[in-house]
Amino acid sequence: MPVAIDLSAPGGVALALLPEILLTVWACVLLLLAAWQHRDPDAHRRIGGLALVGLVAALVVMVWFWKSGTRPAGLPLMIALDTFRYAGAIVFLIGAILTVLLSLRYLGRERIAVPEYYALLLFAVIGMLLMGGAADLIVLFLGLETMSLAVYVLAGIKRRSGTSAEAALKYFLLGAFASGFLLYGIALIYGATGTTNLTVIAFQLSDGGLQDSALLSIGVALLLVGFGFKVAAVPFHMWVPDVYDGAPTPISGFMAAAVKAAGFAALIRIMVTALGESTAVWQGAVWWLAVITMLIGNLIALAQRRLKRMLAYSSIGHAGYLLVAVTSGTPAGASAFLFYALVYTLMTIGAFGLLAALGRDGESEVLIDDLSGLAAGRPWISFAMAVFMLSLLGFPGTAGFIGKWYILSAAIGTGQWLLAVILVLGSVVSAGYYLPVIMNMYMREPVERRPDLSASVDLVGAARGVVATAVVLLILLGVWPNRVLDLAVDGSRDLRAPALVTGTSP
Amino acid sequence: MLELVFWFFSAAAIVSAFLCITRRSAVASALWLVSTLFDLAAIFVLLDAQFIGVLQVLVYAGAIMVLFLFVIMLLDLGREGRTDMKGSVGQFVALALGVGLVVELWVLKRVMDAEGGFAAQTAAFQLPEGELARMTEAQGAIGIIAAPLFRQYLVPFEVTSVLLLVAVVGAVVLAKRRL
C-alpha cells in the first residue's frame, strides 16, 4: 500500500528523513562511546560492530520505504521520496557496510587507534544519503559538504604517516576549491530560475524561455566543474592518484566506490530531474568529459607498476563509463548507472580489500609484478583477484559486462553511437592493465627478490567474508542479473520531474 | 542621499578589500577585513535587511574576526618579514582572473540588456518596491528571517548543524596532539 508523506508538516519531514536521523543519532552515540573507551583496542572493534548495526537499520528503513512505495503528497520539498533515492541509498549503504567489515581488523593491524573512524564513516554516509535524496540544491550541497568533510578526515586518519597527511591536505584544498565552483554554479542557477528546488527548476525551464539564458549556461558549466572534481573526471582528476595512494586502503575503496557513486547520483538527479528537458544546455559538455575521462584514465593506468595507483587510475576510467550513462540524460541512463554503481561498488571494494590483505603500511608499495606466481600458493585469493579484474574489465560472464552492456544500450538509445564506440575502445585499452595482473598470478614464476607474498597474505575474519561475498555476487549477477536489473529500472521510474509538475503520466 | 551613502560604503568596501589582500602584515590585513565587513553591513541596512546587517557586525566583524586576530597574535604572525605571498607571476595570474570575473559580469550585463534588461528578466522573482519594508513592519525584523529559516528551510538548517559537528570532530581527530 503506497504511503504518501506530507513534506510541509514537521512529522512528515521527520518520517521522510528517518534513515538520516537514525544514522545521525547513532553516529553521536558512537562518538560518546569512543570518547569513553578510547584506549581499548577491543572496544574499537565493538564500536565498528555497532556502526554496522546502524547502517543495517538504515538499510532496512530504505528497503521498507521502497517496498511500501512511499511518495510525497504534492511537490517534493527539500528531500525527495522517489525510488531513485531508495535505490541509490541502498548502494551507498552496501558500500559502507563492506568498508566497515574490511576496516575491523585493518585498523588494529595498521595501528590506527582512532575509534572516531566509524562515526566519521557514518557521517559520510549521511552526506551521501542527502546527496542522492536531495530535492533541493541547498540540501544537495550540504550533503556533499558533510560527506566531503568526513572523507577528508578519513583520508588522513593515519596520523603518523606523512603520505596520509599529504593525501588529506591535498584532497581538502582541491575539494574546497571544487565546492566553491559548485556553490557559484548553484547561485547562478538560482539567479536564472529563481528557485533551488529541482522540480520547480524543471518547471521554470519547461516553457523554453530560459533555454539560452547566459546565467543558466554559466551556472551549469560551473556545476559541472565542481562535480568533475568530486567524481574525478579528467581534466579535474589530478588529486586522485596521490589521495587514493595515501589514504588507508579500505578508505581508498570507499572513496573509489561509494563517494564516487554519491557524486554521480547527485549529478544524475540534477541533470535528469531539473535539466532533463533542456539537454542542450549540458549534454555537449558532459559528452566531452566522458570521452577524455575514458581515454586518458585508461591510457595513464597502462603505465602504472604499483597495484594501488593502477586501481586509482582505473577508477578514473570507470568515472568515464558512468559519465556515458549521465550523458544519455534519460531514466534509462539512470537505471544503467544504478546497476553499474552496485557492481562497481562490489568489485572495487573487493579489489581494495584484497590489496589491504596483500601489503603493509598503506599497501602503496605492492607492485603488480609482486603478484607473480601467487596462484600456486594461494589459489583462492588469486581466483578472487582474477574475478575482480575480469569484472572491472567487463569480461562476459561477470557482472561488469552486464553493467557496461546497459550503459552502452542507454547511450545507443539516445543515438550516441560514437560515445558507445569510444566506451568499447576504452575497455579494450583497459585490458592492457587488468590482464597483466591475472597473467602474473597464473603464468609467471614467483620473483625471488621480495619476501614471499603468498605466505604473508593476511585475509581473515570479516575481510574474507567481504571478498567471498563480492566474488559470489559478481558471478551471480553476471549470469543472472534479471532481478537486480528490474530493481534498477524501477529505481529510476519517477526521476523525471515534468510529469510530476504537469500531472501527466510519463 | 541614500544613493550617496550607498556609493560611499561601496567604495569603502572595495578599497578595504583591496588593502586586505595587499598588506604584508597579517594583523593589518585582518583589520582591513573587519573594515570590509562593516561596510557590507551598512549596505545590508540600506537594502532594508537591518537584522542581517546587525548579525554581520556581531558575528563576522565581531566574534569571528576577534578570534582570527587572537590566533594571529597568539602565533606571532603579526610582524613584517618573510612572506609566502606569490611573486609577480602569481600576482599576474590573480590579476588575470580578476579581470576575467569583471569581463564575465560585463558580458552578463550585455546579454541581460539585449534580452530586455535585468529588471525585465527577473521581474517574476523580484519583490515589489517597498514590500520588504512592509513585511518588516508586520512581522518584525527577526520574524521575516526566522519564519523561513525554521519552516521552509528547516531541513538545510538541521543538516548544517550535522555538517558543523563533523567539522569539529574531524578537526579534533586530525589535530589533537594526544588522542
Side-chain angles (χ1 to χ4, degrees):
Chain A
M1 187 183 115
V3 185
I5 295 182
D6 179 14
L7 282 171
S8 56
V13 174
L15 185 59
L17 285 171
L18 185 60
E20 286 84 357
I21 294 174
L22 207 74
L23 277 179
T24 310
V25 172
W26 200 243
C28 292
V29 171
L30 290 190
L31 275 179
L32 282 178
L33 283 176
W36 254 280
Q37 308 180 313
H38 217 275
R39 307 234 172 269
D40 179 8
D42 284 336
H44 294 183
R45 217 169 296 168
R46 248 190 334 268
I47 292 170
L50 286 176
L52 278 181
V53 174
L55 290 168
V56 171
L59 192 69
V60 168
V61 177
M62 280 296 179
V63 171
W64 172 61
F65 275 175
W66 197 352
K67 282 264 174 207
S68 63
T70 306
R71 56 186 173 72
L75 197 68
L77 302 164
M78 298 302 158
I79 193 81
L81 284 164
D82 54 21
T83 49
F84 188 72
R85 174 182 170 209
Y86 313 142
I90 288 169
V91 173
F92 312 146
L93 287 167
I94 289 175
I97 289 171
L98 295 180
T99 308
V100 171
L101 286 172
L102 281 184
S103 309
L104 286 176
R105 261 182 60 89
Y106 185 86
L107 293 191
R109 195 191 83 196
E110 297 289 315
R111 287 181 292 124
I112 302 174
V114 186
E116 285 84 1
Y117 179 96
Y118 298 107
L120 285 166
L121 206 69
L122 289 196
F123 281 123
V125 174
I126 294 163
M128 289 171 190
L129 297 185
L130 290 169
M131 283 169 80
D136 194 290
L137 288 172
I138 298 178
V139 176
L140 190 139
F141 179 76
L142 286 170
L144 183 107
E145 280 302 286
T146 309
M147 175 193 81
S148 300
L149 276 180
V151 177
Y152 300 148
V153 179
L154 286 172
I157 202 141
K158 229 168 125 189
R159 291 159 33 114
R160 282 168 292 102
S161 147
T163 52
S164 187
E166 187 196 330
L169 191 65
K170 205 172 236 177
Y171 194 25
F172 172 65
L173 290 177
L174 286 174
F177 197 55
S179 298
F181 277 99
L182 194 65
L183 199 56
Y184 196 12
I186 290 174
L188 290 183
I189 292 174
Y190 176 65
T193 60
T195 175
T196 51
N197 187 296
L198 295 176
T199 316
V200 184
I201 290 176
F203 182 68
Q204 293 278 10
L205 296 179
S206 61
D207 64 354
L210 283 165
Q211 288 290 355
D212 42 59
S213 148
L215 268 183
L216 183 72
S217 313
I218 298 177
V220 172
L222 289 170
L223 203 75
L224 281 177
V225 173
F227 273 112
F229 270 106
K230 294 290 177 194
V231 303
V234 179
F236 314 110
H237 67 290
M238 298 306 180
W239 55 273
V240 173
D242 291 338
V243 174
Y244 285 17
D245 205 17
T249 304
I251 292 302
S252 305
F254 185 63
M255 281 197 276
V259 172
K260 188 168 288 188
F264 272 107
L267 187 63
I268 286 178
R269 197 169 264 290
I270 296 177
M271 292 311 174
V272 179
T273 305
L275 304 169
E277 299 288 301
S278 13
T279 45
V281 181
W282 56 272
Q283 210 163 30
V286 180
W287 193 92
W288 278 106
L289 269 185
V291 169
I292 52 176
T293 306
M294 282 190 286
L295 291 182
I296 295 189
N298 281 320
L299 285 176
I300 303 182
L302 283 177
Q304 304 304 318
R305 292 184 59 231
R306 292 180 178 167
L307 192 55
K308 202 170 178 182
R309 284 188 97 85
M310 184 274 268
L311 286 173
Y313 277 106
S314 112
S315 89
I316 298 177
H318 282 272
Y321 305 148
L322 286 170
L323 278 171
V324 174
V326 179
T327 311
S328 70
T330 55
S335 38
F337 155 75
L338 283 175
F339 185 79
Y340 202 78
L342 176 68
V343 171
Y344 180 65
T345 300
L346 289 174
M347 55 199 186
T348 308
I349 292 187
F352 275 100
L354 270 185
L355 176 64
L358 288 173
R360 289 291 175 281
D361 271 339
E363 293 81 32
S364 57
E365 297 300 320
V366 178
L367 303 180
I368 296 176
D369 288 341
D370 289 347
L371 297 173
S372 301
L374 188 67
R378 306 298 297 260
W380 284 107
I381 288 194
S382 306
F383 174 71
M385 193 59 134
V387 170
F388 294 143
M389 291 299 136
L390 288 175
S391 185
L392 283 165
L393 171 61
F395 199 76
T398 59
F401 173 73
I402 310 281
K404 260 187 199 155
W405 179 259
Y406 272 84
I407 291 182
L408 277 176
S409 67
I412 291 170
T414 50
Q416 317 248 13
W417 286 94
L418 187 56
L419 204 55
V421 171
I422 296 172
L423 196 158
V424 174
L425 216 73
S427 303
V428 171
V429 172
S430 73
Y433 56 89
Y434 289 132
L435 291 184
V437 175
I438 301 176
M439 272 156 52
N440 269 324
M441 289 188 303
Y442 283 94
M443 297 176 195
R444 290 240 182 95
E445 293 302 308
V447 274
E448 292 300 323
R449 61 192 164 75
R450 309 266 305 192
D452 188 12
L453 206 57
S454 63
S456 68
V457 174
D458 168 38
L459 188 68
V460 289
R464 179 178 288 195
V466 169
V467 170
T469 315
V471 168
V472 170
L473 282 177
L474 284 176
I475 295 176
L476 190 70
L477 290 179
V479 292
W480 187 66
N482 311 22
R483 184 87 188 88
V484 179
L485 274 175
D486 289 345
L487 285 176
V489 171
D490 186 51
S492 58
R493 184 162 39 92
D494 39 11
L495 198 53
R496 268 281 167 82
L500 203 73
V501 178
T502 54
T504 55
S505 60
Chain B
M1 179 60 199
L2 263 183
E3 194 142 333
L4 199 73
V5 178
F6 169 75
W7 284 113
F8 174 76
F9 281 112
S10 310
I14 291 172
V15 170
S16 312
F18 186 75
L19 286 170
C20 168
I21 59 169
T22 51
R23 294 304 90 190
R24 285 193 175 264
S25 151
V27 173
S29 197
L31 287 173
W32 280 114
L33 187 55
V34 174
S35 157
T36 314
L37 294 171
F38 256 115
D39 297 327
L40 289 182
I43 292 175
F44 277 127
V45 173
L46 286 180
L47 289 171
D48 272 340
Q50 292 88 351
F51 183 62
I52 301 274
V54 171
L55 274 191
Q56 171 93 355
V57 172
L58 276 182
V59 177
Y60 283 91
I64 292 182
M65 285 317 294
V66 166
L67 200 68
F68 217 80
L69 275 174
F70 186 73
V71 170
I72 291 174
M73 290 179 172
L74 200 70
L75 298 176
D76 201 14
L77 300 171
R79 279 173 301 173
E80 305 264 343
R82 287 198 314 122
T83 167
D84 59 349
M85 270 198 228
K86 294 284 182 290
S88 47
V89 177
Q91 283 177 358
F92 180 76
V93 172
L95 189 72
L97 282 176
V99 171
L101 264 181
V102 173
V103 170
E104 187 196 327
L105 283 177
W106 182 73
V107 168
L108 276 178
K109 183 169 166 8
R110 280 289 300 274
V111 173
M112 289 287 186
D113 285 345
E115 290 169 1
F118 184 76
Q121 277 256 313
T122 54
F125 322 130
Q126 209 101 54
L127 286 175
E129 183 81 31
E131 177 71 18
L132 206 55
R134 268 196 298 281
M135 279 165 68
T136 313
E137 204 144 302
Q139 302 178 36
I142 300 172
I144 54 172
I145 308 275
L149 185 63
F150 292 110
R151 293 218 179 101
Q152 195 185 351
Y153 292 98
L154 178 68
V155 175
F157 179 79
E158 295 295 341
V159 177
T160 310
S161 68
V162 177
L163 176 69
L164 291 176
L165 176 67
V166 176
V168 171
V169 172
V172 172
V173 164
L174 279 187
K176 191 165 181 295
R177 193 163 292 166
R178 285 171 55 94
L179 272 178

